[in-house]
Amino acid sequence: MSDGPPPPEPAVRVTGLRAAFDGRTILENVSFDVRRGEVFVILGGSGCGKSTLLKHMIGLLHPAEGRVEIEGRDLTAARGAGRQSILSRFGVLYQSGALFSSLTVAQNVALPLEEFTSLPKEAIRSLVRIKLELVGLLHAADRFPSEISGGMKKRAGVARALALDPSILFLDEPSAGLDPITSAELDHLILSLRRVLGATLVIVTHELQSIYAVADRCIMLDRARRTIVAEGRPADLRDGSSDPWVRAFFRREVPEEAKP
Amino acid sequence: MGGAATIRLERDGPRAVARVAGELTLATTPPLWREVRGVAAACEEIDVRGVPRCDSAGAALLVHLRRESAARNGGRDAPITGAVAQVASMLAIVEDADVHPISPVAPPHEPDDGVFERVGGAAMRLAEAARGGLGYVGDVTASLAQALASPRTVRWKDAFLYMTRAGADALPIVALINVLMGIILAFQGVSLLGKLGFESYTPEAVSVSVVLELGPLMTAILVAGRSGSAFAAEIGTMTVNEEVDALRTMGLDRTRFLVVPKLLALLAMMPLLVVFADACGLLGGLLIGVTALDMTIAQYMAKSFEQLDLWGASQGLIKGEAYALSIAAVSCWRGLRTGNGAQGVGLSATSAVVSSIFLIIVCDAVLTVVFHYV
Ligand SMILES: Nc1ncnc2c1ncn2[C@@H]1O[C@H](COP(=O)(O)OP(=O)(O)OP(=O)(O)O)[C@@H](O)[C@H]1O
Ligand SMILES: [Mg+2]
């Protein structure tokens, strides 16, 4: 984290968001802040709109109502160069990795550096090496995405999201489809990134053990009520929530999933 | 984002110390990479007391300086000293070669919840599609203009790849189809014109039909089938894989990345293909001409070119370029509008070919009328 007092605005602020597809409302009245430097987790049952919310936060979808601010700047209204400079503040790991299939793993990581910085070639090469080392993929640098496994794609996606040293990292289901050990290692990687980069992390996940390992705070969405039903530290929600549904969410899955 | 960062070589008693100062970040380091070379040979120590914070780009610079210095001094290490905690841990991460030997596993599961409610109002969708289409045409025009104004922004490597695929790789099939077309035309010409006693006009009939109409048309249809469907499927797959989303959130223009290289490739290749197709068509006609008409090759060729002039040939080329533009633009558009899943990709590829052929015929009709009155 940087020295000196951090600026007052939260990393991400969502205000009065309503999300709708073809007039069908998925989420409404969604408001929350993601504080700088914290690990913020978005929880909820399948189909409740977690990915939809994330897509609004990164500007892929336009809210039907409300707005999204990234470090105090309104992403919803930004256009052109202003939008570009907001986009450069964050990196995104997509659920499927979303690596560019025509580029090798190393070229994928190099792409944002080539497009957005004036670094010389050797600098880009060594930065790419570093990011790939970070995620343990240096040996696969010259392979194409079709030639690596799903878990490797995820890690390559993390490396690419980190290319520009973003201050906010959005991760959509980083550990879905990974074995417990790999996903624990990914958790470990996430935590060390946060520690060193001082980055803010926004994570969509189902994995309860991940939640306890990494989350500072979380929000929980509910499909029936179409909004946030709980907000706070995960342990507090499990033990102290007044909402039976929220307690059930944690209780139902904790016992089987607590130990890898 | 802090001020500029600096590297200065200073003497500290007998030692030469590289003093680094300022925040070392992606924003501040690019100019420093050029200075490393000058500093590395002499420096015996790297002092980073003046660095309050660094990101991975900054740490990479420090590590690079250290390695460079070791390489130039027979392996003598120049230690990095005076790092604050944050800089030290970043350096540890960056220097640590194999941190996480993670074992890869099964591919991630895709949650399948895409049972979208079917909404009525096809008219509304059509209007929206029209609006989207207009916006797309605007985007493409702007990106093309930008590509012409500053060719450096074009992804030429991609463009060359598509040129090979759409151009060079298409030569055998274009040759085959057009030779056959020439043979068919000449055969029909001989039998029909022969009934009227005008069979000696067959060479003219064949050459005019091929150069003005059928050469470009057959080529375009082949290109639509080969490249149009490939473009749509490729972009469609990228859409389904969230690659197009990734481009957008990186702030990269999808038209410049995905559409312009394909467009330029087809525009560059189509004239060559059309000329080649014309030659093949004439060759096909020639085969029938010399066997069925008792003409020498020279006579047939001379008659072929009697009704053709430069303007006639250019008409064919202009048509070819119009077809190329339509195929590339509409196929990429179909790709970008791909719905979910593998099925969506198939549909996009199919509709890319159908829309391309439709546009080709429309262009042909319009241009034929225009050329008639010009
Ligand atoms: N492009 C779309 N068009 C129409 N409806 C959509 C679209 N994307 C998602 N939906 C609907 O929005 C709802 C929320 O979907 P979303 O993908 O956000 O769920 P989720 O919480 O991420 O679920 P999961 O945990 O399974 O990933 C679902 O009912 C889904 O059918
Ligand atoms: Mg989801």
Side-chain angles (χ1 to χ4, degrees), chain B residues 4-298:
Chain B
T6 55
I7 301 183
R8 209 167 291 124
L9 197 61
E10 282 174 17
R11 294 240 139 242
D12 185 3
R15 282 168 81 77
V17 180
R19 291 201 202 285
V20 189
E23 275 206 357
L24 290 182
T25 63
L26 205 52
T28 60
T29 43
L32 295 186
W33 282 85
R34 255 166 279 127
E35 291 175 33
V36 163
R37 199 163 289 247
V39 176
C43 96
E44 294 162 276
E45 183 184 332
I46 303 166
D47 175 3
V48 296
R49 262 173 303 174
V51 180
R53 193 188 113 82
C54 76
D55 64 10
S56 68
L61 176 80
L62 295 175
V63 169
H64 176 67
L65 173 59
R66 186 179 185 179
R67 292 210 182 117
E68 193 78 345
S69 155
R72 287 174 186 232
N73 293 298
R76 187 198 61 200
D77 189 46
I80 298 178
T81 58
V84 300
Q86 192 273 337
V87 173
S89 40
M90 184 54 98
L91 278 170
I93 286 198
V94 165
E95 276 194 298
D96 199 350
D98 34 12
V99 244
H100 302 288
I102 308 178
S103 48
V105 273
H109 84 281
E110 288 275 343
D112 45 354
D113 51 2
V115 192
F116 304 139
E117 277 180 15
R118 291 190 147 223
V119 187
M124 234 174 73
R125 266 203 296 273
L126 197 68
E128 199 184 316
R131 215 173 322 134
L134 277 181
Y136 174 73
V137 170
D139 276 357
V140 170
T141 315
S143 301
L144 259 189
Q146 197 211 354
L148 295 181
S150 49
R152 280 176 48 88
T153 62
V154 176
R155 295 183 58 84
W156 289 111
K157 234 170 69 187
D158 292 351
F160 289 134
L161 179 74
Y162 294 120
M163 284 184 200
T164 322
R165 291 207 195 134
D169 296 353
L171 287 179
I173 185 73
V174 168
L176 180 67
I177 296 289
N178 283 287
V179 167
L180 287 175
M181 207 58 189
I183 289 177
I184 296 168
L185 277 178
F187 203 81
Q188 299 278 29
V190 170
S191 62
L192 176 69
L193 294 175
K195 275 186 212 153
L196 307 170
F198 291 124
E199 60 186 8
S200 62
Y201 287 103
T202 304
E204 285 95 321
V206 171
S207 65
V208 168
S209 328
V210 164
V211 171
L212 264 63
E213 194 56 47
L214 286 169
L217 190 66
M218 295 315 289
T219 309
I221 290 176
L222 285 172
V223 169
R226 293 182 78 256
S227 306
S229 58
F231 291 172
E234 183 188 320
I235 297 181
T237 309
M238 291 182 73
T239 308
V240 172
N241 286 345
E242 300 176 307
E243 290 173 48
V244 176
D245 286 351
L247 277 180
R248 280 177 63 196
T249 48
M250 279 183 201
L252 295 172
D253 180 18
R254 56 186 191 165
T255 323
R256 174 167 77 84
F257 260 70
L258 302 177
V259 182
V260 169
K262 300 183 175 68
L263 214 85
L264 291 179
L266 283 200
L267 284 175
M269 285 299 116
M270 194 56 113
L272 305 180
L273 285 178
V274 167
V275 169
F276 180 69
D278 290 350
C280 292
L282 294 186
L283 177 70
L286 180 73
L287 290 178
I288 296 298
V290 293
T291 48
L293 284 178
D294 265 358
M295 288 186 181
T296 66
I297 295 180

Side-chain angles (χ1 to χ4, degrees), chain A residues 50-51 95 172-173 204, chain B residues 111:
Chain A
K50 302 181 295 294
S51 299
Q95 204 159 334
D172 194 356
E173 311 236 5
V204 170

Side-chain angles (χ1 to χ4, degrees), chain A residues 163-206:
Chain A
L164 295 173
D165 282 287
S167 60
I168 310 172
L169 198 55
F170 293 93
L171 308 159
D172 194 356
E173 311 236 5
S175 42
L178 303 184
D179 70 80
I181 297 175
T182 312
S183 78
E185 272 162 344
L186 204 63
D187 288 347
H188 179 78
L189 173 63
I190 288 170
L191 287 178
S192 66
L193 289 176
R194 200 252 311 228
R195 189 164 35 79
V196 177
L197 297 171
T200 309
L201 299 173
V202 178
I203 306 176
V204 170
T205 185
H206 285 302

Side-chain angles (χ1 to χ4, degrees), chain A residues 21-22 24 26 44-53 95 173 206 223, chain B residues 111 113-116:
Chain A
F21 291 109
D22 306 323
R24 187 167 58 101
I26 307 288
S46 200
C48 68
K50 302 181 295 294
S51 299
T52 306
L53 177 58
Q95 204 159 334
E173 311 236 5
H206 285 302
R223 181 176 194 158
Chain B
D113 51 2
V115 192
F116 304 139

Side-chain angles (χ1 to χ4, degrees), chain B residues 333-350:
Chain B
W333 192 53
R334 289 296 179 187
L336 286 170
R337 292 174 53 90
T338 299
N340 280 337
Q343 248 188 346
V345 176
L347 286 177
S348 305
T350 315

